[in-house]
Amino acid sequence: ERDGTVRIALLPTQAEELDWLADSIAHLVRTGKEPGQIAVLARTATDFPDIQAALVARDVPVEVVGLSGLLHLPEIADLVAVCEVLQDPGANAPLVRLLTGPRWRIGPRDLALLGRRARLLVHRHTPDADTSTDQRLAAAVEGVDPAEVISLADALDTFLEPAGQDDHLPFSAEARIRYARLATELRELRRALADPLMDVLHRVLATTGLEVELSASPHALAARRRETLSHFLDIAARFAALDGEATLLAFLGFLRTAAQYEKGLDNALPGGENTVKVLTAHKSKGLEWDVVAVPGLVGGQFPSSRARESWTAQGKVLPHALRGDAPTLPALDTIDARSLKA
């Protein structure tokens, strides 16, 4: 209907591009453009936290659209990490996230020592240096249960038992205190895992102090993070209502599936609030705004030059003829538009 304008900026680094983008959007909002008429389309959800932080720093109201996008924001990632550790003692990566985060601040040295203690719990006996390679290999596999996983959470529990600290590893005094406090906290939370999903999530928030921290902070970013947290809890509540007796295990499975099959499962649409919407390009189909910003247009990445996933590497795109349920699936002569439509 009306002529539009296209503004292009070629900037040396991604950080400068984000600053330019946020400054441009902040200028538009200050000069009268409604935030709800502006969208930022990124290629992947991993860019969301930086974009959100840059806009919030300039007092621009912003909303991250979609569950998979929310999972990349730090406050949601921390909450999910605690839940993963509670549900699975072998969830080492989420536990490392918690230990190295702003709350516990465990350094690399004490973290490495915790890993060593975790290994000692599984493999108690260390063969002598003068034994032959064959003997050492035999000793390594003898009596080993393949299901036995090196678990940092198990190593953490040893700080609650004085007898469990006989390996003489030189942990710092501060780390010992923090490990014991975290182990106590996780043990208390695990006792309530059988409770309804929303009770478990609220108890995790109360115990970790995340909600209080966000409520007490005077910064605009904290206010936005509180809204993000509320939005995530709404998703959990809807899942609980849908599933009836929803457990934490089922909800974590739902989150993992949403992240993996983002395009199919995550069908969240932008809310009606007057905020700048941050979403992926594929999620924006069928929606429109007056101003659309597209960061990260880099040759070969966005638009992506990568071909469709190969069925030899990805089970989910296995040709119908090779699948065990082939008789129940439609027969395609060729994979083209006409065959798919038929």
Side-chain angles (χ1 to χ4, degrees):
E1 295 173 6
R2 294 182 297 280
D3 288 342
T5 58
V6 177
R7 285 181 69 199
I8 300 172
L10 182 62
L11 296 146
T13 66
Q14 186 185 19
E16 288 172 79
E17 181 185 60
L18 279 183
D19 285 339
W20 179 83
L21 176 89
D23 287 337
S24 305
I25 290 174
H27 174 72
L28 285 170
V29 172
R30 279 198 304 273
T31 52
K33 173 63 71 179
E34 290 291 325
Q37 290 300 325
I38 303 173
V40 181
L41 306 186
R43 191 178 83 83
T44 64
T46 48
D47 300 329
F48 289 178
D50 294 336
I51 296 169
Q52 186 208 31
L55 289 170
V56 170
R58 291 158 177 81
D59 294 327
V60 175
V62 57
E63 175 194 344
V64 172
V65 179
L67 175 58
S68 51
L70 288 178
L71 292 175
H72 284 87
L73 300 181
E75 59 278 19
I76 307 301
D78 283 349
L79 171 59
V80 173
V82 177
C83 293
E84 293 267 16
V85 172
L86 290 176
Q87 192 62 59
D88 175 16
N92 291 332
L95 183 55
V96 169
R97 179 190 173 90
L98 297 178
L99 291 171
T100 56
R103 185 157 175 245
W104 298 107
R105 300 196 305 283
I106 297 293
R109 180 180 162 281
D110 285 306
L111 200 59
L113 289 171
L114 185 71
R116 195 181 301 174
R117 176 170 285 187
R119 278 197 301 278
L120 287 173
L121 288 176
V122 178
H123 308 297
R124 264 285 167 216
H125 305 292
T126 50
D128 300 327
D130 56 352
T131 53
S132 71
T133 309
D134 287 346
Q135 286 172 308
R136 287 213 297 274
L137 278 172
V141 296
E142 187 181 3
V144 172
D145 181 354
E148 190 125 35
V149 178
I150 292 172
S151 163
L152 292 180
D154 288 350
L156 209 58
D157 279 342
T158 61
F159 289 90
L160 299 177
E161 309 152 9
Q165 301 186 20
D166 57 358
D167 47 27
H168 308 299
L169 292 174
F171 290 97
S172 67
E174 191 64 38
R176 287 179 184 276
I177 294 167
R178 290 179 194 176
Y179 282 150
R181 280 177 54 203
L182 177 57
T184 307
E185 204 170 270
L186 293 174
R187 190 170 279 190
E188 287 298 316
L189 285 169
R190 278 200 186 99
R191 286 183 181 146
L193 275 186
D195 292 358
L197 173 64
M198 295 311 293
D199 291 357
V200 174
L201 292 178
H202 282 297
R203 190 171 282 116
V204 169
L205 286 173
T207 306
T208 56
L210 186 61
E211 214 163 16
V212 175
E213 188 186 327
L214 292 178
S215 302
S217 172
H219 298 297
L221 185 58
R224 276 286 153 210
R225 289 191 165 159
R226 210 162 56 243
E227 287 171 27
T228 305
L229 207 51
S230 301
H231 187 35
F232 179 75
L233 291 174
D234 287 345
I235 291 171
R238 285 202 297 274
F239 175 79
L242 187 73
D243 199 51
E245 295 291 313
T247 61
L248 184 64
L249 181 65
F251 184 57
L252 290 173
F254 167 71
L255 294 182
R256 276 193 288 273
T257 312
Q260 188 179 357
Y261 301 103
E262 166 188 22
K263 297 177 188 178
L265 189 71
D266 183 5
N267 55 4
L269 291 170
E273 300 86 9
N274 190 20
T275 52
V276 174
K277 306 294 186 271
V278 179
L279 63 168
T280 53
H282 81 253
K283 198 177 281 297
S284 69
K285 293 182 180 114
L287 306 170
E288 55 183 63
W289 298 269
D290 289 355
V291 180
V292 176
V294 191
L297 289 173
V298 179
Q301 288 186 20
F302 188 17
S304 173
S305 59
R306 201 176 67 185
R308 191 178 292 176
E309 288 166 328
S310 163
W311 62 266
T312 51
Q314 285 288 340
K316 63 188 176 192
V317 287
L318 196 67
H320 284 186
L322 298 178
R323 286 174 44 165
D325 55 355
T328 66
L329 298 169
L332 295 179
D333 300 327
T334 52
I335 300 184
D336 57 17
R338 184 180 296 173
S339 294
L340 290 169
K341 191 173 179 183

